[in-house]
Amino acid sequence: MPITNALTTTIERVSILDEHGNFDEKLGKGLIPDADLLKLYETMVTCRMMDEVAFKLQRSGRMGTYPQNMGQEANSLGAAYALNNDDWLVTCYRENCGLMWRGVPIDSILLHWMGDERGNAMPRPHHATPIAVPIGTQMLHATGLAWAAKYRGEKRISCTFFGDGATSEGDFHEACNFAANLDIPVIFFCQNNFWAISVPGRIQCSAPTVAQRGIAYGMPCLQVDGNDLFAVVYGMRKAIEHARTTGKPYFIEGVTYRLGDHTTADDARRYRDQAEVDAWKARDPITRLRTYMTKKGIWSDAKDAALREAAEASCMATIERCEQVEPPVRGDVFNYTFADLPADLVTQRETGHTHSLGQDPSQLPSASNAR
Amino acid sequence: MPITNALTTTIERVSILDEHGNFDEKLGKGLIPDADLLKLYETMVTCRMMDEVAFKLQRSGRMGTYPQNMGQEANSLGAAYALNNDDWLVTCYRENCGLMWRGVPIDSILLHWMGDERGNAMPRPHHATPIAVPIGTQMLHATGLAWAAKYRGEKRISCTFFGDGATSEGDFHEACNFAANLDIPVIFFCQNNFWAISVPGRIQCSAPTVAQRGIAYGMPCLQVDGNDLFAVVYGMRKAIEHARTTGKPYFIEGVTYRLGDHTTADDARRYRDQAEVDAWKARDPITRLRTYMTKKGIWSDAKDAALREAAEASCMATIERCEQVEPPVRGDVFNYTFADLPADLVTQRETGHTHSLGQDPSQLPSASNAR
Amino acid sequence: MANLTLVQAINLALIQEMEKDDRVILLGEDVGNNGGVFRVTEGLQKRFGANRVVDTPLAESGIIGTSIGLAMAGLRPVPEIQFEGFLGPAYDQLCSHAARMRTRTRGAFTVPMTVRVPVGGGIHAPELHSDSPEAFYTHQPGLKVVMPSGPYDAKGLLISALRDPDPVIFFEPKRIYRAIREEVPEDEYTIPIGKARVVCEGTDLTVVSWGASVIQCMQAIEACGRSVELIDLRTIYPMDMETVEASVSKTGRCVIVHEAPRTCGVGSEVATQIMEKCFLHLEAPVQRVTGFDTIMPYYKLELEYLPDAARIQRGIEDCLAY
Amino acid sequence: MANLTLVQAINLALIQEMEKDDRVILLGEDVGNNGGVFRVTEGLQKRFGANRVVDTPLAESGIIGTSIGLAMAGLRPVPEIQFEGFLGPAYDQLCSHAARMRTRTRGAFTVPMTVRVPVGGGIHAPELHSDSPEAFYTHQPGLKVVMPSGPYDAKGLLISALRDPDPVIFFEPKRIYRAIREEVPEDEYTIPIGKARVVCEGTDLTVVSWGASVIQCMQAIEACGRSVELIDLRTIYPMDMETVEASVSKTGRCVIVHEAPRTCGVGSEVATQIMEKCFLHLEAPVQRVTGFDTIMPYYKLELEYLPDAARIQRGIEDCLAY
Ligand SMILES: Cc1ncc(C[n+]2csc(CCOP(=O)(O)OP(=O)(O)O)c2C)c(N)n1
Ligand SMILES: Cc1ncc(C[n+]2csc(CCOP(=O)(O)OP(=O)(O)O)c2C)c(N)n1
Ligand SMILES: [Mg+2]
Ligand SMILES: [Mg+2]
């Protein structure tokens, strides 16, 4: 037989609670207990509120460049919910909701965007890594973290998040390839929001799905409606089961949309149509859940109003806490460069100068402020 | 429908003349006219002979590290045969046979491995790029070259070669992704020889095929028996047709094997079984073609002996030519750094020194040798 | 003649060269429809078409690697890397290929490309958006490195870069993208790569700097009230040591100012060459006022890191007092 | 105590540390079954298992990036990059992440890893197999850079590197992998990172070098017949300027020798710091005998490029004659 089949493969798409309120009982029933659902919804609303508050703060000069998560909350939240709390959560910057669920103080995230490294000092028990700024680089760390767990015989896995744009970077490829070929249990979760700043998704991946990127590595791949918390949880459970039992990676594409600008430094009206945004607003993961819970009788407009009020108050309190954090001291420019500072760096820190004639430590410009 | 199909895709494998001498008339008939076949065979034999001669030369200290092509000749040869002579051929270092077909002087290739940059001064009309040493990097150049052709409205495409190991590099991914999403006609040809020095293929790609790497980009992909010149030509014709008519890329995996060591600096016995090598010797692309041509009555043992003798003589003549090339001059360390040398580099060249007190150009150590 | 910002001057240079030479094409992340995140390429895609101003996938090695191919084929690609911190993934293609192509092929292939890169700190940006990596590319043979300090120079230098037969890294100090305006002739003019500019003459001490720091140097010089000569290198490689040597031979003292970390920064090269060339004229050791040998801090502390007028002034005064 | 090559000394150090500390794991291309292309990791996979000595995919960014993750989780990965020319693809992970992790997380995450890299020319290898990129990693804050010049130092320095809480780039001069043997104690010993070694004492001039060049320096010193002090830096960052300063303050003259290109090479940093610290002692400008500011040529010309004993001798003599 001169032409034979070398491979046939398929990718499935999961949707449970769709934008019209249809709910698939077969897949969805019992997936998320009502009590959890309420807490998950609460987290989403708080996260959304934080976006709004942070945006306003940035506009009034009290916050640096800030990337809103608006519209994408269900992806990281569903993942954090399905994972164990000691699985590694290796995120980019649109996973605030998942981090909040994990218990990472939102203060950390805000401090980071306020230009303060202390925001990245993620408390160890959360098993969450610092916010990743260079696109596409953090997935390799996720692979390394899960590899370390495997080496030590721990059951811990990694779940790493990244955008559609990030899948264009070479590091994305290398992370998937290491995990697939060295048998490392990593869940690669792409939040496909169809834009990388102003560049449309087809420039990053003109294939019918982003999920099929996983086929290159022989990974099982799945596409889920990323604005459907149920679908995300369903997909994550499959992925987690696979990763834990086989020790191998899994690829999930969450189809979603960022409803806001890329960051506060961006103006998305320059490059995309309002009609597109409106269409996606109708698929908002929060609205969808609210309608579902209301129909189910476990939620009401009054409860929602109360929740929003509480969320706003809590966000404002967080902001105020962050703004009251003592400013970092000049010495911190130096203190974390190495565990032990070389003498030269000590001198630079003590003098505040780099020129040699200025490096007489007895002439400290502000000795008190140095540490 | 909660679970829907998002993608179904298949990959085919082509084999026309198999290792047992079976020839598929349906696909193979008329694919390569007999007259061409004889020339192609001649090129393969010469290429193989060059490997043997270069190997011996290296052992006697007359040649630097040299990577033999043994066993893989059909891939690049079939490609070069199917391509137009002004399509870009962007190779790694196991494509001597294709370069020979293209007319690139074998002297160039040898000079390169003899540690002489003049070997890389590929004559422009051949549309072949210099030998690529850093693995996985040249495919991006292929994409850029084809992009330039597209920009200028030329019909020229690129065909780039790389190993299974190279598909692990991030640059491989970026090259495929640029071509796929920016609509650039590049044929990505992976010579899967199952080894990257001592590392087995499954560490580079544990998926059932390397070809499926192309699915990630929505490219058509094909696996061919890379030791079957007919299958390679068949696959290349499909790929060329696709690239020229759609302006888009195509992915081919040629399944093959390197019969020799990785390079003359390697000893493959350290990491692979002789049994494996022997099994692949039985699939040698040259033997296969010879048997076929003999059966067909267009070849004979006597002709073969004569050819080998002529090939050996021609290889020895080439070697001698290369060894008689004037040694490069010291000035050549400098002369090609920029189109116009900065004054500082001129001084370094004229004096042969980098220390400032040695930089009085009137004290030329060897003024005559500087240019 | 118009009063332009640096952003506008670069935009103008690009327009003029693209109109003259259809081998010039722009590519990068967000350079097309969006006109670049700093709006440097604003309006260019509309004007020249999506074939000549191309939004690429988010992959810096891909941007530089395909640009190398484009250049090998005879075009003159102008890739943009969105921030200097994202040059990292492109480092290999720049240093292993772009820089080496002419040498390793004995001129059979060349890479006439201009890599545009916003550079430096002071704009309250997130991490990796405020670094100054010019020394890396200066140490790599085969690359030219340019960094203008104002709109006029930017236009003239960029046109030279676009016409250069070899790869040029063109660093654009983002801190002054819009902070200053200068008269920039509409007419075409070039400023040669490899020529420094004496910003102001002086007799007591020479300050050597480049990029946005030149502004801080001017403030410091003003503040210290002495006769200080200021040299803006403009091109970092090839370095115009002739101008520096002439100045330091006259003044006998020199302070070098840059944002990058001190160790193995470009300042050490300038200082060493001054020692080599002006040894007998030197009345004090050459001083370096630079970023610290630490990671560029997040923005709450960035002004502690960047050499400001006060630190420069102190350097000048300590050097004068020696 | 055995008479070992550099390769053997490193192999021994790895064995001893791996036996003591199961957080140490090796990874890279061909390091396992094949024992590395230079056989530095020979026998280690057999001894410690394929879990601790891991053949990875052919991807340098992947090797360093996953090592960062391994280190963040508390292991002590020892990635090998097969040749220094292939550090390029890993540059971003090294400089954007490994170097910054402690700073950017205020110590919450750290990267205790040792990147082993064969370095330098002189072995008739193909292109990108003969470069000396130490200056790039010296300029990047947050990394330590080590380069031994012989088997004894190699073992002691490597053990220090493996125990260091921060990322160390450990360059192994491949030219002397097997060219020299030294007595190397079987017992565990460390050589501190950041301490230079005075190879031989002298009064007329100081030579500062590191790596394989130290051998050429010794030949040149012998040939010139003067009292020359030779300092082997051993660690390039943090740099032991105390030792250098003490020496040059005594001799008043200095020649720095390295294989890398001169411009912005480590030599310029050493020279500048000498000027800063020994200004009044200097009797001649510090001299640099280095690779040229060109691409490292293919091997037919590599000996024209590398500073050999004759060029070093000439540098010493010109400096002495000044
Ligand atoms: C390596 C690198 N290149 C460029 C940038 C600038 N940049 C920041 S976000 C972004 C787009 C990211 O798109 P995507 O991965 O889809 O994530 P999204 O913002 O859509 O969530 C770009 C280009 C960067 N941060 N890092
Ligand atoms: C970037 C880079 N890393 C490592 C090497 C060293 N090296 C040379 S060839 C090779 C294996 C290549 O394997 P593959 O791509 O399968 O090609 P093959 O040799 O099998 O034809 C390696 C690791 C290199 N040349 N470049
Ligand atoms: Mg996106
Ligand atoms: Mg291979």
Side-chain angles (χ1 to χ4, degrees):
Chain A
M1 281 190 309
I3 298 194
T4 49
N5 179 286
L7 180 86
T8 299
T9 182
T10 63
I11 291 178
E12 294 179 333
R13 178 188 162 90
V14 177
S15 145
I16 295 175
L17 173 62
D18 76 12
E19 57 197 284
H20 311 294
N22 302 314
F23 184 79
D24 186 84
E25 290 290 341
K26 206 173 114 230
L27 295 185
K29 200 165 166 195
L31 199 60
I32 308 177
D34 284 353
D36 288 355
L37 201 58
L38 291 169
K39 273 194 261 167
L40 288 161
Y41 179 75
E42 196 180 301
T43 308
M44 282 170 99
V45 169
T46 311
C47 185
R48 181 70 60 95
M49 189 60 73
M50 189 53 79
D51 266 3
E52 286 167 24
V53 172
F55 184 85
K56 276 187 223 137
L57 238 65
Q58 193 279 336
R59 285 296 186 259
S60 62
R62 288 160 66 190
M63 163 76 66
T65 306
Y66 181 84
Q68 292 187 307
N69 286 210
M70 235 157 60
Q72 305 189 201
E73 293 90 347
N75 294 285
S76 64
L77 180 62
Y81 173 67
L83 289 163
N84 290 342
N85 272 342
D86 63 354
D87 290 325
W88 284 106
L89 197 53
V90 182
T91 61
C92 192
Y93 49 73
R94 289 201 213 279
E95 289 79 27
N96 289 355
C97 204
L99 292 171
M100 287 168 73
W101 182 263
R102 182 58 71 93
V104 172
I106 188 78
D107 307 52
S108 291
I109 297 162
L110 288 180
L111 262 184
H112 172 272
W113 296 112
M114 287 172 156
D116 194 323
E117 286 88 347
R118 287 171 293 179
N120 270 339
M122 295 282 178
R124 193 75 176 191
H126 294 307
H127 287 86
T129 52
I131 283 166
V133 165
I135 295 296
T137 55
Q138 75 277 11
M139 296 89 100
L140 278 168
H141 308 164
T143 301
L145 288 161
W147 183 352
K150 175 189 157 188
Y151 176 75
R152 289 187 172 124
E154 300 167 350
K155 264 290 157 213
R156 205 192 308 284
I157 63 173
S158 281
C159 176
T160 183
F161 277 85
F162 47 90
D164 46 312
T167 69
S168 290
E169 288 281 4
D171 274 9
F172 155 76
H173 172 69
E174 299 189 13
C176 292
N177 202 46
F178 267 64
N181 306 332
L182 301 179
D183 290 346
I184 302 173
V186 184
I187 297 169
F188 292 94
F189 198 126
C190 178
Q191 289 210 55
N192 180 8
N193 66 7
F194 295 98
W195 292 95
I197 311 185
S198 75
V199 181
R202 80 191 122 75
I203 300 287
Q204 314 295 344
C205 180
S206 54
T209 67
V210 171
Q212 73 201 79
R213 295 224 191 254
I215 296 177
Y217 317 102
M219 280 185 208
C221 332
L222 187 69
Q223 192 184 62
V224 303
D225 178 347
N227 286 10
D228 170 4
L229 184 65
F230 290 93
V232 173
V233 171
Y234 179 90
M236 277 298 300
R237 294 245 168 92
K238 272 190 82 151
I240 292 167
E241 153 95 20
H242 174 83
R244 279 206 226 284
T245 57
T246 68
K248 294 182 189 200
Y250 196 98
F251 195 99
I252 297 186
E253 171 190 3
V255 179
T256 186
Y257 196 79
R258 83 168 141 76
L259 293 173
D261 295 328
H262 170 69
T263 64
T264 50
D266 179 51
D267 177 3
R269 288 168 305 182
R270 291 175 61 90
Y271 52 79
R272 64 184 192 183
D273 287 341
Q274 191 53 38
E276 179 181 300
V277 181
D278 290 341
W280 279 97
K281 272 197 181 134
R283 299 177 203 142
D284 188 320
I286 296 188
T287 326
R288 202 181 290 194
L289 217 55
R290 179 178 170 184
T291 312
Y292 171 81
M293 296 193 310
T294 308
K295 223 162 85 184
K296 228 187 161 189
I298 59 172
W299 198 245
S300 69
D301 286 359
K303 283 187 185 163
D304 211 71
L307 168 59
R308 277 169 207 273
E309 203 170 305
E312 183 164 9
S314 116
C315 288
M316 286 313 299
T318 309
I319 297 274
E320 272 158 35
R321 254 195 332 273
C322 287
E323 289 192 322
Q324 275 155 28
V325 163
E326 284 254 323
V329 296
R330 189 171 58 77
D332 287 339
V333 172
F334 303 88
N335 290 337
Y336 301 92
T337 313
F338 296 100
D340 294 309
L341 285 201
D344 206 39
L345 267 181
V346 173
T347 308
Q348 292 182 30
R349 182 185 67 194
E350 302 304 310
T351 62
H353 286 291
T354 56
H355 67 286
S356 63
L357 298 170
Q359 296 211 353
D360 179 350
S362 67
Q363 303 180 352
L364 271 187
S366 53
S368 56
N369 189 29
R371 278 240 161 232
Chain B
M1 283 186 307
I3 298 194
T4 48
N5 179 286
L7 180 85
T8 299
T9 181
T10 63
I11 291 178
E12 293 179 333
R13 178 188 162 89
V14 178
S15 144
I16 295 175
L17 173 62
D18 77 12
E19 58 198 282
H20 310 296
N22 302 315
F23 183 79
D24 185 83
E25 289 290 343
K26 206 172 113 229
L27 296 185
K29 198 163 168 198
L31 199 60
I32 307 176
D34 285 353
D36 288 355
L37 201 58
L38 291 170
K39 273 194 261 167
L40 288 161
Y41 179 75
E42 195 180 301
T43 308
M44 283 170 97
V45 169
T46 310
C47 184
R48 180 70 60 94
M49 189 59 73
M50 189 53 79
D51 266 3
E52 286 168 23
V53 172
F55 184 86
K56 276 186 222 139
L57 238 65
Q58 193 279 338
R59 285 296 185 261
S60 62
R62 287 160 66 190
M63 162 78 65
T65 306
Y66 180 84
Q68 290 187 308
N69 286 211
M70 236 157 59
Q72 305 189 202
E73 293 89 347
N75 294 286
S76 64
L77 180 62
Y81 173 66
L83 289 164
N84 290 343
N85 272 342
D86 63 354
D87 290 324
W88 285 105
L89 197 52
V90 182
T91 60
C92 191
Y93 49 72
R94 287 200 216 279
E95 289 79 26
N96 290 355
C97 204
L99 292 171
M100 285 166 75
W101 182 263
R102 182 58 71 93
V104 172
I106 188 78
D107 306 53
S108 290
I109 298 163
L110 288 180
L111 261 184
H112 172 272
W113 297 111
M114 286 174 156
D116 194 322
E117 286 88 348
R118 287 171 292 180
N120 270 339
M122 294 282 178
R124 194 73 176 193
H126 294 307
H127 287 86
T129 52
I131 283 166
V133 166
I135 295 295
T137 55
Q138 75 278 10
M139 297 89 99
L140 278 168
H141 308 164
T143 302
L145 287 161
W147 183 351
K150 175 189 158 188
Y151 175 75
R152 291 188 171 122
E154 300 167 351
K155 264 289 158 214
R156 207 191 308 282
I157 63 173
S158 282
C159 176
T160 182
F161 277 86
F162 47 90
D164 46 311
T167 70
S168 290
E169 287 281 3
D171 274 8
F172 156 76
H173 171 68
E174 299 190 14
C176 291
N177 202 47
F178 267 64
N181 305 332
L182 301 179
D183 290 345
I184 302 172
V186 184
I187 298 169
F188 292 93
F189 197 126
C190 177
Q191 289 209 55
N192 179 8
N193 65 7
F194 295 99
W195 291 95
I197 310 186
S198 75
V199 180
R202 80 190 123 75
I203 300 286
Q204 315 294 345
C205 179
S206 54
T209 68
V210 171
Q212 73 200 79
R213 295 226 190 251
I215 296 176
Y217 317 102
M219 279 185 211
C221 334
L222 188 69
Q223 192 184 62
V224 301
D225 178 346
N227 286 10
D228 169 5
L229 184 66
F230 289 95
V232 174
V233 170
Y234 179 91
M236 277 297 300
R237 293 246 168 93
K238 271 188 84 150
I240 293 168
E241 153 96 21
H242 174 82
R244 277 206 226 283
T245 56
T246 68
K248 294 183 188 199
Y250 195 100
F251 195 98
I252 298 186
E253 172 190 4
V255 178
T256 185
Y257 196 78
R258 83 169 142 76
L259 293 173
D261 295 328
H262 169 69
T263 64
T264 48
D266 178 51
D267 177 2
R269 287 168 307 182
R270 291 176 62 91
Y271 51 79
R272 64 183 192 184
D273 286 343
Q274 192 53 39
E276 178 182 300
V277 181
D278 290 341
W280 279 97
K281 271 197 182 135
R283 300 179 202 138
D284 188 317
I286 296 187
T287 326
R288 201 181 290 193
L289 216 55
R290 178 179 169 182
T291 312
Y292 171 81
M293 295 194 309
T294 308
K295 224 162 82 185
K296 228 188 159 190
I298 59 171
W299 198 244
S300 67
D301 286 0
K303 282 186 186 165
D304 210 71
L307 168 58
R308 276 170 206 273
E309 203 168 305
E312 183 162 10
S314 116
C315 287
M316 287 311 301
T318 308
I319 298 275
E320 272 157 36
R321 253 193 333 271
C322 287
E323 290 193 320
Q324 274 154 28
V325 163
E326 285 255 321
V329 296
R330 189 172 56 76
D332 286 340
V333 171
F334 304 88
N335 291 337
Y336 300 92
T337 313
F338 296 100
D340 293 309
L341 284 201
D344 206 41
L345 268 182
V346 174
T347 308
Q348 291 182 30
R349 182 186 66 195
E350 302 304 310
T351 62
H353 286 292
T354 56
H355 66 287
S356 64
L357 297 170
Q359 295 212 352
D360 178 350
S362 66
Q363 302 180 351
L364 271 187
S366 52
S368 56
N369 190 29
R371 280 239 161 227
Chain C
M1 190 116 112
N3 209 19
L4 302 187
T5 63
L6 203 116
V7 162
Q8 292 167 326
I10 294 172
N11 186 278
L12 181 61
L14 291 171
I15 289 177
Q16 292 183 339
E17 283 300 289
M18 289 180 78
E19 274 178 349
K20 272 184 97 138
D21 185 351
D22 67 7
R23 295 171 307 168
V24 178
I25 75 169
L26 313 189
L27 62 155
E29 298 156 11
D30 305 290
V31 297
N33 196 13
N34 200 33
V37 295
F38 288 106
R39 310 278 177 261
V40 175
T41 54
E42 174 132 39
L44 297 186
Q45 191 181 64
K46 257 213 186 96
R47 188 170 188 137
F48 295 104
N51 265 343
R52 288 190 72 189
V53 184
V54 185
D55 279 327
T56 66
L58 205 176
E60 290 74 12
S61 190
I63 292 169
I64 299 301
T66 53
S67 292
I68 291 170
L70 288 162
M72 288 168 80
L75 299 188
R76 301 202 153 236
V78 187
E80 174 182 297
I81 298 296
Q82 202 161 77
F83 285 89
E84 75 291 325
F86 313 132
L87 270 171
Y91 171 90
D92 190 50
Q93 284 288 345
L94 282 170
C95 294
S96 298
H97 279 296
R100 292 170 200 251
M101 195 61 77
R102 182 187 291 278
T103 295
R104 66 193 284 272
T105 68
R106 289 301 181 236
F109 289 97
T110 60
V111 182
M113 87 178 160
T114 302
V115 186
R116 292 185 39 252
V117 196
V119 77
I123 64 159
H124 264 210
E127 67 177 325
L128 291 167
H129 291 66
S130 306
D131 284 18
S132 294
E134 67 269 19
F136 294 105
Y137 302 95
T138 305
H139 183 51
Q140 173 61 51
L143 301 176
K144 296 183 180 176
V145 182
V146 172
M147 197 190 296
S149 68
Y152 178 87
D153 280 8
K155 183 181 170 192
L157 285 165
L158 181 55
I159 294 180
S160 294
L162 294 170
R163 297 179 186 173
D164 200 277
D166 287 302
V168 179
I169 318 283
F170 192 85
F171 284 115
E172 304 171 358
K174 57 179 98 85
R175 194 178 191 175
I176 51 171
Y177 256 154
R178 295 192 155 76
I180 44 173
R181 286 178 176 272
E182 276 175 8
E183 293 298 317
V184 176
E186 182 68 30
D187 285 354
E188 173 196 316
Y189 63 97
T190 59
I191 293 175
I193 288 178
K195 280 270 160 260
R197 176 173 70 107
V198 178
V199 181
C200 60
E201 295 191 17
T203 52
D204 298 350
L205 182 145
T206 304
V207 171
V208 178
S209 190
W210 52 90
S213 292
V214 170
I215 316 288
Q216 272 78 47
C217 290
M218 292 193 308
Q219 294 166 2
I221 290 171
E222 192 145 334
C224 78
R226 291 283 292 273
S227 173
V228 175
E229 185 145 311
L230 175 57
I231 294 175
D232 173 2
L233 275 190
R234 298 201 289 202
T235 299
I236 298 167
Y237 190 87
M239 202 179 273
D240 180 5
M241 280 307 296
E242 223 172 290
T243 299
V244 175
E245 181 183 352
S247 177
V248 182
S249 298
K250 174 177 74 178
T251 61
R253 296 173 201 268
C254 182
V255 173
I256 301 156
V257 180
H258 61 66
E259 291 188 14
R262 186 181 66 185
T263 295
C264 281
V266 173
S268 62
E269 180 61 36
V270 180
T272 303
Q273 287 203 41
I274 289 173
M275 167 168 51
E276 287 170 352
K277 291 178 205 298
C278 313
F279 189 68
L280 296 177
H281 298 281
L282 278 182
E283 286 168 46
V286 179
Q287 296 296 297
R288 294 178 289 174
V289 177
T290 68
F292 297 107
D293 286 321
T294 69
I295 302 302
M296 173 83 202
Y298 286 9
Y299 73 74
K300 274 188 186 171
L301 286 171
E302 74 173 329
L303 296 182
E304 297 287 345
Y305 183 90
L306 296 171
D308 58 8
R311 259 173 72 198
I312 300 167
Q313 187 184 343
R314 175 78 186 276
I316 292 173
E317 284 165 1
D318 285 348
C319 190
L320 282 169
Y322 184 81
Chain D
M1 189 116 113
N3 209 18
L4 301 186
T5 63
L6 203 121
V7 162
Q8 292 168 327
I10 294 173
N11 185 279
L12 181 61
L14 290 171
I15 289 177
Q16 293 183 339
E17 283 300 290
M18 290 181 78
E19 272 176 351
K20 273 184 97 140
D21 184 350
D22 66 9
R23 295 172 307 169
V24 178
I25 76 169
L26 314 190
L27 62 155
E29 298 156 12
D30 304 290
V31 298
N33 196 12
N34 200 31
V37 294
F38 288 106
R39 310 279 176 261
V40 174
T41 54
E42 173 131 40
L44 298 185
Q45 191 181 64
K46 253 207 191 101
R47 188 170 188 139
F48 296 104
N51 265 344
R52 288 189 72 190
V53 183
V54 184
D55 279 325
T56 66
L58 204 178
E60 290 74 13
S61 190
I63 292 168
I64 299 300
T66 54
S67 292
I68 291 171
L70 288 162
M72 288 168 79
L75 299 188
R76 301 205 153 233
V78 187
E80 174 182 297
I81 299 295
Q82 201 160 77
F83 285 87
E84 75 291 325
F86 312 133
L87 271 171
Y91 171 91
D92 189 51
Q93 284 287 344
L94 282 169
C95 294
S96 297
H97 279 296
R100 294 172 198 251
M101 195 61 78
R102 181 187 291 277
T103 295
R104 65 193 286 271
T105 68
R106 290 299 181 238
F109 288 97
T110 60
V111 182
M113 86 177 161
T114 302
V115 186
R116 291 186 38 251
V117 196
V119 77
I123 64 158
H124 265 210
E127 66 175 325
L128 291 165
H129 290 65
S130 304
D131 283 18
S132 292
E134 66 269 21
F136 295 104
Y137 302 95
T138 305
H139 183 52
Q140 173 61 50
L143 300 176
K144 296 183 181 176
V145 182
V146 172
M147 198 189 297
S149 67
Y152 178 87
D153 280 8
K155 184 182 171 192
L157 285 165
L158 182 56
I159 293 180
S160 295
L162 294 170
R163 296 179 186 173
D164 199 278
D166 286 301
V168 180
I169 319 282
F170 192 84
F171 285 114
E172 305 170 359
K174 58 180 97 84
R175 195 177 189 176
I176 52 171
Y177 257 153
R178 296 191 154 77
I180 44 174
R181 286 177 175 272
E182 277 175 7
E183 293 298 316
V184 176
E186 182 69 30
D187 285 355
E188 173 195 314
Y189 62 98
T190 59
I191 293 176
I193 287 178
K195 281 270 159 260
R197 177 173 71 106
V198 179
V199 181
C200 61
E201 295 190 18
T203 52
D204 299 349
L205 182 144
T206 305
V207 171
V208 177
S209 192
W210 52 89
S213 291
V214 169
I215 316 290
Q216 272 78 46
C217 290
M218 293 195 305
Q219 293 165 1
I221 289 170
E222 190 144 335
C224 78
R226 291 284 291 272
S227 173
V228 175
E229 186 146 309
L230 174 58
I231 295 176
D232 173 2
L233 276 190
R234 297 202 290 205
T235 298
I236 298 169
Y237 190 89
M239 202 179 273
D240 180 5
M241 281 307 297
E242 222 172 291
T243 301
V244 174
E245 181 183 350
S247 177
V248 181
S249 298
K250 174 177 74 179
T251 61
R253 298 173 200 268
C254 182
V255 173
I256 301 155
V257 180
H258 61 66
E259 290 188 14
R262 186 181 67 185
T263 294
C264 281
V266 173
S268 63
E269 181 60 36
V270 179
T272 302
Q273 288 204 40
I274 290 174
M275 167 169 51
E276 288 169 352
K277 292 178 204 300
C278 313
F279 189 67
L280 295 178
H281 297 280
L282 277 183
E283 287 167 47
V286 178
Q287 296 296 296
R288 295 178 289 173
V289 177
T290 68
F292 298 107
D293 286 320
T294 68
I295 303 303
M296 174 82 199
Y298 286 10
Y299 73 74
K300 272 187 186 170
L301 285 171
E302 74 172 330
L303 296 181
E304 296 287 346
Y305 183 90
L306 296 170
D308 58 7
R311 260 172 71 197
I312 300 167
Q313 186 182 345
R314 174 80 185 276
I316 293 173
E317 285 167 358
D318 285 348
C319 191
L320 282 168
Y322 184 83

